[in-house]
Amino acid sequence: MNRRELLRIGQRSLLAAMATGLASEWLSPKAGTSAESESESEPEAGSEVEAKPETPSPEPPPKPSLKIQWLGHSCFLFVGDGLRFLVNPFSTVGCTAGYRPVQAEADLVLISSRLLDEGNAEGLPGNPRLLFEPGAYQFRRKQIQGIRMLHDRRGGRRFGINVAWGWTLAGIKILHLGGAAAPITTDQQILMGRPDLLFVPVGGGAKSYNPQEAKQAIETLKPKLVIPTMYRTQAANPDACDILPVDEFLSGMEGTPIEKIKSDSIELNRDSLPETGRTIKVLSYEF
């Protein structure tokens, strides 16, 4: 064997050795990783496994609420969705003589008529927008519906037109009938829809529903909650007020749950509405 052949054999041996070494280096990390993974995934028998703490579920956001304050007669303040709606501020005369003058701050004032006991917006603080005619309106992305009704039983010849107001706050559909005195027509009912919360006059007299007429309106509209309005309280001037106390209405509502609240305010949300049937809530004015 000559020298050139020896060099060839040596070179082949060196290349074979280098290839074997590289292959072992490539394979050994994989084998080690696999072993480590197996040891991590399969704890030894008898060893304690540390429990991982559970991540608490996020709490659902609170549902929007609607706060309602009775300010006397048919006047209410509604607060919800960052807005303040005031309905039917009044002058202190006749049936409203003993109530405190209305001084509530509001973004929007809704008036059912220009009569003194439900349509006096003078002297209110701030610069609220005022609505007093029937029609469809939009206020800060809220749809407001004013529905034309009669304010007496003589075709409006004595007390003219009453405006019932419908809108939604905090997901609750509200209908305030103002001083309605005539039965609800089909066209009016279409505009009113089915309210969640109905404010209905019950004291009678010449310009609003008596207890029987109020009951008929409730049966027509089928609300979930009813708050009676425009009834006689100790605020009335006995010589200038012809309406009845609220008990005259309540006594004719047999079978309907009645809740007398010892406050002039309540707070509601969608979950607080009755799932079936209806409930009557009577607020208490704080004299």
Side-chain angles (χ1 to χ4, degrees):
M1 183 180 297
N2 59 31
R3 182 177 180 181
R4 183 174 294 177
E5 291 177 347
L6 286 174
L7 288 172
R8 290 175 180 172
I9 294 172
Q11 288 175 351
R12 287 197 297 268
S13 299
L14 179 58
L15 290 172
M18 290 175 64
T20 303
L22 288 172
S24 63
E25 287 180 3
W26 291 339
L27 291 174
S28 59
K30 294 181 181 179
T33 303
S34 175
E36 289 173 3
S37 300
E38 290 177 2
S39 64
E40 289 177 1
S41 61
E42 297 182 7
E44 296 180 0
S47 63
E48 295 183 0
V49 178
E50 183 179 354
K52 295 182 179 180
E54 296 183 359
T55 303
S57 302
E59 295 184 2
K63 293 192 175 180
S65 63
L66 172 67
K67 184 176 181 181
I68 304 166
Q69 183 182 12
W70 183 35
L71 301 176
H73 210 47
S74 66
C75 182
F76 291 82
L77 177 66
F78 301 83
V79 181
D81 295 340
L83 297 171
R84 298 169 66 88
F85 287 11
L86 179 67
V87 181
N88 288 355
F90 51 80
S91 299
T92 52
V93 295
C95 296
T96 61
Y99 292 126
R100 291 180 294 277
V102 178
Q103 288 294 310
E105 293 186 4
D107 302 300
L108 178 67
V109 177
L110 304 173
I111 287 179
S112 294
S113 80
R114 291 292 190 162
L115 300 179
L116 292 177
D117 62 352
E118 60 189 21
N120 181 22
E122 294 182 4
L124 292 176
N127 187 30
R129 183 177 177 185
L130 178 65
L131 298 179
F132 55 89
E133 293 183 347
Y137 303 90
Q138 185 169 352
F139 178 77
R140 298 188 186 177
R141 300 184 180 180
K142 296 293 182 183
Q143 299 297 322
I144 316 293
Q145 182 69 56
I147 302 114
R148 178 188 176 97
M149 303 183 72
L150 296 179
H151 213 324
D152 56 45
R153 300 172 187 86
R154 299 182 180 180
R157 291 187 298 273
R158 184 175 179 187
F159 294 109
I161 299 302
N162 168 76
V163 182
W165 292 104
W167 71 97
T168 298
L169 277 183
I172 297 175
K173 187 176 181 181
I174 303 160
L175 179 64
H176 192 302
L177 289 180
I184 297 170
T185 67
T186 300
D187 289 343
Q188 291 166 347
Q189 186 178 357
I190 291 171
L191 291 174
M192 294 173 180
R194 183 182 179 184
D196 297 314
L197 177 57
L198 175 66
F199 293 78
V200 57
V202 302
K207 56 185 179 182
S208 64
Y209 287 151
N210 61 36
Q212 295 74 31
E213 292 165 335
K215 183 177 181 179
Q216 181 59 51
I218 293 168
E219 291 175 352
T220 297
L221 295 170
K222 298 178 174 57
K224 297 179 180 180
L225 285 179
V226 175
I227 294 182
T229 73
M230 297 185 77
Y231 51 84
R232 191 184 190 96
T233 70
Q234 69 186 67
N237 177 349
D239 298 324
C241 183
D242 61 351
I243 60 178
L244 301 170
V246 70
D247 287 340
E248 298 287 335
F249 163 72
L250 298 178
S251 64
M253 298 299 294
E254 302 91 349
T256 302
I258 297 170
E259 183 181 354
K260 292 188 175 181
I261 300 169
K262 296 180 179 180
S263 172
D264 64 359
S265 300
I266 57 172
E267 191 165 353
L268 305 171
N269 58 38
R270 291 290 307 174
D271 289 342
S272 62
L273 300 175
E275 294 184 1
T276 58
R278 69 180 58 93
T279 300
I280 298 171
K281 292 182 182 289
V282 182
L283 301 182
S284 299
Y285 188 85
E286 298 178 358
F287 286 97

